[in-house]
Amino acid sequence: MSSNPPAEVDPAAPGRRWSPGAWSLQARLLVGQALLLALVCIGIGAATWVALGQYLVHQLDGQVVDAAGRSAMISGLPLPPAVGGFPSQPRTGPGPDFLDAPGQPVGMVAAVLRNGGDASAGVLTTYGQRAQLTSAAQEQLTEVVPRTRAATVDLDGLGRYRLIATYNRFGEVIVVGLPMAEVDDTMIRVLLIFAVVAVVAVVVAAGLGVIVIRRALAPLNRVAATAAQVANLPLDRGEVTLPVRVPERDANPKTEVGQMGSALNRMLDHISAALSTRQASETRVRKFVADASHELRTPLTAIRGYSELAQRRSDEVPDEVAHAMGRVASEAERMTHLVEDLLLLARLDSGRPLEREPVDLSQLAVDAVSDAHIAGPDHEWNLDLPEEPVVVTGDAARLQQVLTNLLANARTHTGPGTTVTVTLTADAHHAEVRVVDDGPGIPPELQSEVFERFARGDSSRSRKGGSTGLGLAIVAAVVKAHNGTIDLRSRPGCTEFSVMLPTHSPFTADT
């Protein structure tokens, strides 16, 4: 019986770390495409945002320089006439009079720093009036150093301003500044627009990417489906054909997927040829075993007959000859059993039908345990049967051989005093026979081979009876011919063989 395959790892199982490596190729491509597009959008947006900010600040700086030059020119002089030629009159309020000059922008701050330390500062409101600055803001204006380039200062109570200082004709320092509120508002609006456009672009690209990636990966999915079909074939037994191939359209060597599909087709051709060769070899071996076993029956019968004839006159020959003839007879008997077992396996391999009739498993179990008690009196034999007889459809002789071989296996491979228990249970659809012993157990590395032909246990299960290694192979073949299953669970102190048989379903002898 083959050992159980290792359990597959579930990436979503509790206690396991989440990893993008467990994603499908489609998901990874889609996420990679979305991340790449997002990075491109962020890069373009950042570059545009920085360039736009520099442009707007440069434009504002030009306005600040113009306002500073105009203010320095008219500082201390009467205001120029307004539009239409009417003279301009300064309004009362804090700050220099040139704040009321025509063309001065709203929000402009200005200060005149006289040599004596006196300062006149104010701001032009949206209503065209001059307003007082806080003392902290006035202090910030007095700290501005005259230079040719504007600087950004966060004025107390007003916000961020671009300020520049220059001299008027009287040697006084003129400080002029314009607010950056419009620049900041523009930058925020542009940032929001970029964010919305980037999100929309990523969503649209993801939707289109799903369609494009699915179409691109469709050939790969078909190749994977072909490989999965081959993986589900029982390549380890029986006559196996490989009708599955990757479609020609998916085996184009000019594409990467086509190269993989073409390689898979070549591999399948090699596997098919190897399976055909293996099947032909197994067929020849089985035919040879069947023919050889059949041909050996005649000379073995003759040997047994002549040895029995010689043993009838054992008192007329020397003791050595009589002992030798006894050994010939016992070995001929053992070889006859081996030949019969080989013939049975050959018949099952060839698919010959077995008898199909109601069989009382309860009676078979009683007979098998009685025979085992006679053959192994140094073992303790127990039988646990249900109250009602357990009846299945099958071949009585072969099922009797299944029970006999399982009990013989327990007797042969365990020491004296071992307890062997046969338990029979049944439900509406299945009957189960369990043979349990408390012997030394079967080593784990040998459990996958016990149902193979000529498989034998190691020294941990003694072989005083000299088994041929075919008993459990016959058990597995007969159970399978009845559409049943056999399972083995073994550990030191407990070895259990469990045979499950259908109660009413038809069976075949195909293996």
Side-chain angles (χ1 to χ4, degrees):
M1 181 183 67
S2 61
S3 59
N4 294 328
E8 295 183 358
V9 176
D10 182 10
R16 296 191 180 276
R17 292 185 177 179
W18 172 84
S19 172
W23 293 2
S24 65
L25 178 59
Q26 176 178 330
R28 281 182 283 177
L29 289 176
L30 185 60
V31 172
Q33 172 186 329
L35 290 177
L36 180 61
L37 180 60
L39 291 176
V40 171
C41 291
I42 292 173
I44 295 176
T48 305
W49 191 78
V50 171
L52 179 62
Q54 292 177 348
Y55 171 77
L56 293 177
V57 170
H58 178 73
Q59 189 178 43
L60 181 63
D61 287 349
Q63 297 175 4
V64 171
V65 171
D66 292 342
R70 183 171 60 251
S71 299
M73 184 182 300
I74 64 177
S75 175
L77 298 177
L79 297 179
V83 178
F86 297 99
S88 300
Q89 297 296 328
R91 290 181 289 272
T92 60
D97 292 341
F98 59 77
L99 283 175
D100 294 329
Q104 299 289 40
V106 174
M108 172 181 168
V109 296
V112 178
L113 308 180
R114 297 180 176 87
N115 297 330
D118 186 19
S120 175
V123 58
L124 189 62
T125 67
T126 56
Y127 299 103
Q129 298 176 352
R130 289 182 282 173
Q132 181 71 38
L133 296 177
T134 65
S135 58
Q138 293 183 25
E139 183 69 22
Q140 288 176 301
L141 292 178
T142 60
E143 294 176 356
V144 178
V145 179
R147 56 184 177 179
T148 58
R149 298 185 62 182
T152 301
V153 177
D154 191 358
L155 290 179
D156 181 62
L158 296 178
R160 298 201 317 149
Y161 268 71
R162 293 289 289 180
L163 301 177
I164 192 170
T166 186
Y167 294 98
N168 63 4
R169 67 185 67 191
F170 305 108
E172 299 171 334
V173 176
I174 304 296
V175 180
V176 175
L178 293 178
M180 295 186 63
E182 292 186 3
V183 174
D184 293 339
D185 292 342
T186 301
M187 296 300 293
I188 291 175
R189 286 195 297 270
V190 170
L191 182 62
L192 291 176
I193 292 173
F194 271 122
V196 172
V197 171
V199 171
V200 172
V202 171
V203 172
V204 173
L208 295 177
V210 170
I211 300 174
V212 173
I213 291 174
R214 283 182 178 177
R215 292 178 62 88
L217 294 182
L220 183 60
N221 292 333
R222 290 193 291 268
V223 172
T226 301
Q229 293 180 19
V230 176
N232 292 329
L233 294 175
L235 302 180
D236 60 332
R237 62 184 185 275
E239 296 184 8
V240 179
T241 58
L242 295 178
V244 182
R245 290 293 186 278
V246 176
E248 190 66 28
R249 58 177 177 168
D250 298 330
N252 185 359
K254 295 182 180 179
T255 65
E256 290 80 359
V257 176
Q259 293 173 6
M260 183 174 64
S262 178
L264 181 59
N265 279 343
R266 292 195 302 271
M267 183 183 69
L268 293 178
D269 291 337
H270 294 325
I271 293 176
S272 180
L275 291 176
S276 299
T277 303
R278 185 203 70 179
Q279 181 61 34
S281 176
E282 289 182 355
T283 301
R284 287 193 298 269
V285 171
R286 290 176 179 176
K287 188 175 186 303
F288 168 77
V289 171
D291 293 343
S293 300
H294 183 75
E295 293 299 328
L296 285 174
R297 297 177 71 182
T298 300
L300 282 174
T301 302
I303 293 173
R304 292 175 59 189
Y306 281 117
S307 62
E308 291 176 1
L309 180 61
Q311 285 180 320
R312 292 177 184 177
R313 299 183 178 183
S314 58
D315 55 346
E316 300 178 5
V317 297
D319 293 340
E320 294 81 358
V321 176
H323 175 72
M325 295 308 298
R327 293 298 301 153
V328 169
S330 64
E331 291 302 315
E333 183 71 22
R334 193 167 73 89
M335 191 171 183
T336 300
H337 290 310
L338 174 60
V339 169
E340 293 296 335
D341 289 345
L342 290 173
L343 279 175
L344 175 59
L345 288 173
R347 293 191 186 100
L348 294 174
D349 289 339
S350 64
R352 292 188 184 182
L354 302 177
E355 297 292 333
R356 186 173 184 274
E357 59 185 7
V359 178
D360 187 353
L361 283 182
S362 301
Q363 185 61 47
L364 294 184
V366 171
D367 295 341
V369 171
S370 299
D371 295 342
H373 188 273
I374 299 300
D378 51 355
H379 285 61
E380 182 177 347
W381 304 93
N382 296 325
L383 180 61
D384 184 7
L385 298 178
E387 296 182 359
E388 298 295 328
V390 178
V391 179
V392 298
T393 301
D395 190 313
R398 300 283 77 85
L399 293 177
Q400 178 71 46
Q401 191 169 10
V402 167
L403 294 174
T404 301
N405 286 1
L406 288 176
L407 296 179
N409 178 76
R411 183 185 72 250
T412 302
H413 297 291
T414 59
T418 302
T419 300
V420 182
T421 303
V422 179
T423 304
L424 180 61
T425 58
D427 56 25
H429 304 287
H430 296 89
E432 183 181 17
V433 180
R434 290 186 292 120
V435 178
V436 183
D437 68 69
D438 57 0
I442 303 174
E445 64 273 11
L446 298 179
Q447 294 182 19
S448 62
E449 303 175 358
V450 295
F451 296 114
E452 300 293 335
R453 298 176 187 185
F454 299 105
R456 294 172 178 171
D458 62 357
S459 58
S460 66
R461 292 170 68 89
S462 64
R463 297 179 54 251
K464 294 188 300 180
S467 79
T468 62
L470 294 177
L472 293 181
I474 292 176
V475 170
V478 172
V479 170
K480 186 177 182 180
H482 285 79
N483 281 342
T485 59
I486 183 168
D487 189 23
L488 166 64
R489 290 181 292 274
S490 181
R491 56 181 174 80
C494 181
T495 298
E496 176 182 331
F497 288 89
S498 176
V499 176
M500 189 76 69
L501 296 172
T503 53
H504 300 293
S505 61
F507 67 91
T508 63
D510 293 339
T511 59

